Structures are given as structure tokens and as C-alpha cells.
Amino acid sequence: MGRTGLGGGVLRGVLRKSEVEVVRTRITLECTECKNRNYNMTKDKKTHPERMETKKYCKFCRSHTLHKETK
Ligand SMILES: [Zn+2]
């Protein structure tokens, strides 16, 4: 009786926005030894809300030094 002919019409286009939208912020990494800004990169503010610190090679110090995020 009341068949409306909606075959397998599944609702599509339901995007899970939270999975796609990642907030990436541009940061600069500065060598803590010589204060040179050696690296530009992006970070995920959700996973790294604090300032990042990472060991990277500094060509000025010619060794791996601690690099800190700067603005
Ligand atoms: Zn350095």
C-alpha cells in the first residue's frame, strides 16, 4: 500500500567533521644553544598544547641540540 519507492536511498554526506578538522599551527624551532631559528614546522595544537621541545641538528652548533618552539 504505502510504498514510496525509496530504494536503498541511504543518507550520505554525513561527514564526521571532528576527524577531518585538525588545527595545525605554524611554529619555529629555535636552538637553545645559539638561539638560531633552524626549523619551521607545523604542530597539532590538540596533541601539543604546550611549547614543543625537541632535539634537532643545529648546523651552527654542528651537533644535536635542544630546540624550543618560538613565536
Ligand atoms: Zn645551535
Side-chain angles (χ1 to χ4, degrees):
M1 291 206 238
R3 284 206 62 171
T4 45
L6 280 171
V10 188
L11 281 175
R12 275 170 158 231
V14 184
L15 291 170
R16 274 172 279 173
K17 241 187 173 183
S18 57
E19 284 182 353
V20 184
E21 248 177 64
V22 182
V23 186
R24 293 206 81 88
T25 314
R26 292 179 68 93
I27 60 164
T28 306
L29 291 179
E30 175 188 277
C31 173
T32 54
E33 303 286 323
C34 65
K35 307 295 179 192
N36 274 296
R37 296 179 176 193
N38 298 319
Y39 294 94
N40 288 302
M41 57 181 281
T42 58
K43 74 162 182 179
D44 189 344
K45 262 211 164 175
K46 278 177 188 167
T47 52
H48 300 284
E50 313 262 305
R51 289 206 167 191
M52 276 183 67
E53 288 183 19
T54 182
K55 276 214 155 187
K56 291 263 192 189
Y57 180 77
C58 176
K59 60 187 174 187
F60 301 97
C61 301
R62 287 194 206 156
S63 64
H64 281 80
T65 59
L66 189 67
H67 283 65
K68 277 191 182 176
E69 176 187 343
T70 180
K71 288 255 163 118

